[in-house]
DNA sequence: CGTGACCATCCGCTGTAGCGGATAGCTCGG
DNA sequence: CCGAGCTATCCGCTACAGCGGATGGTCACG
């Protein structure tokens, strides 16, 4: 175990897919790689071809260059380390889950109304949510704890 | 100020040079790019040619690939972001100064003996050092503070 | 004053990151 | 049913990351 950043098989592909999914939660409206490439160009001035985006998303190319790494990271609003460091990726991913959830207006208003309630009330609501998730066959969510 | 990671002209070259200088403080004993390449190979299993190292150090090539980025970072014991993020680079650089200083045996033993002393004593010693630096015409060192 | 060990530097090559331009499969409105 | 407009996918090309193998220079040793 001298190394700890290897076997990143199709990891990059998965990460890119996740970033896209979070940025465009509505699967129907989600742009294809062509439109995506165009948006990236408009956003960051630097251009990434649709073909190449597809190759990355499907794992056909994996060894990004400094430049494209930065362009992608800036567009998706994640630190460039997201693509390099698994630990950072995990931490960012939990944030991304939240961001994705807040795109759903109903979830957002629940969050807004939850703000300020007492801990006891929040706990009972949490219990209700867990029950609901179980009933609807959603995976339970683990709360991340501090690692000593 | 929409962007903040551009104009990295010969930045990478400078960073690499600094890393080498810190790792091999004695300029006389410092290995050339050939030996350096060999050491990297032994250390990380991955190989980087001496030619390429030279090209990087002289700024002839600058757009590293994910893989080589990781290899270099692991060898020099810095996070890969060191090469990407100026802010991280600055933070790490101050650590590097410390590491370089500790190579000097006398400095190291001062650091060791300072450990455990009361804050008041440390403060007065710091004052003495600042005075000494002024007398010997060395630049004063800024202590980095926490950014809220 | 060889010659062997190190060095920086250059040249030319290979592999692949990254691109532009097909193509074929969809779904829509007319 | 037929194009218009979208899509994913493929192919072949160019540019450059990265390499191996010269070259000539400077020391130290016998």
């Amino acid at each position: 175990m001298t190394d700890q950043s290897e076997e990143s098989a199709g990891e990059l592909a998965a990460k890119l897919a996740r970033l896209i999914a979070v940025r465009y939660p509505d699967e129907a409206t989600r742009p294809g790689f062509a439109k995506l490439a165009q948006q990236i160009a408009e956003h960051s001035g630097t251009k990434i071809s649709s073909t190449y985006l597809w190759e990355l998303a499907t794992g056909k190319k994996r060894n990004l260059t400094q430049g494209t790494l930065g362009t992608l990271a800036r567009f998706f609003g994640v630190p460039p380390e997201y693509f390099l460091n698994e630990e950072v990726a995990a931490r960012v991913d939990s944030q991304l889950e939240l961001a994705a959830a807040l795109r759903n207006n109903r979830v957002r208003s629940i969050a807004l109304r939850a703000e300020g309630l007492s801990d006891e009330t929040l706990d009972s609501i949490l219990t209700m949510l867990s029950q609901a998730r179980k009933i609807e066959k959603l995976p339970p969510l683990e709360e991340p704890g501090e690692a000593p």
Side-chain angles (χ1 to χ4, degrees), chain A residues 7-29:
Chain A
E7 44 251 279
S8 49
E11 288 310 310
L12 192 143
K15 285 178 187 173
L16 184 56
R18 182 158 38 229
L19 288 178
I20 295 178
V22 168
R23 175 120 185 177
Y24 307 96
D26 185 3
E27 203 160 344
T29 322

Side-chain angles (χ1 to χ4, degrees), chain A residues 41-100:
Chain A
E42 288 169 9
H43 176 270
S44 53
T46 320
K47 174 155 207 277
I48 295 186
S49 79
S50 64
T51 305
Y52 190 46
L53 283 176
W54 172 74
E55 288 172 324
L56 292 179
T58 52
K60 287 183 169 7
K61 302 282 174 69
R62 45 179 93 260
N63 205 14
L64 294 183
T65 230
Q66 250 186 3
T68 40
L69 197 88
T71 304
L72 284 178
R74 235 173 302 136
F75 177 72
F76 287 108
V78 297
E81 307 93 271
Y82 179 76
F83 295 105
L84 306 174
N85 186 328
E86 287 308 314
E87 188 193 346
V88 174
R91 196 161 52 235
V92 172
D93 272 344
S94 66
Q95 299 280 107
L96 289 182
E97 280 182 38
L98 177 62

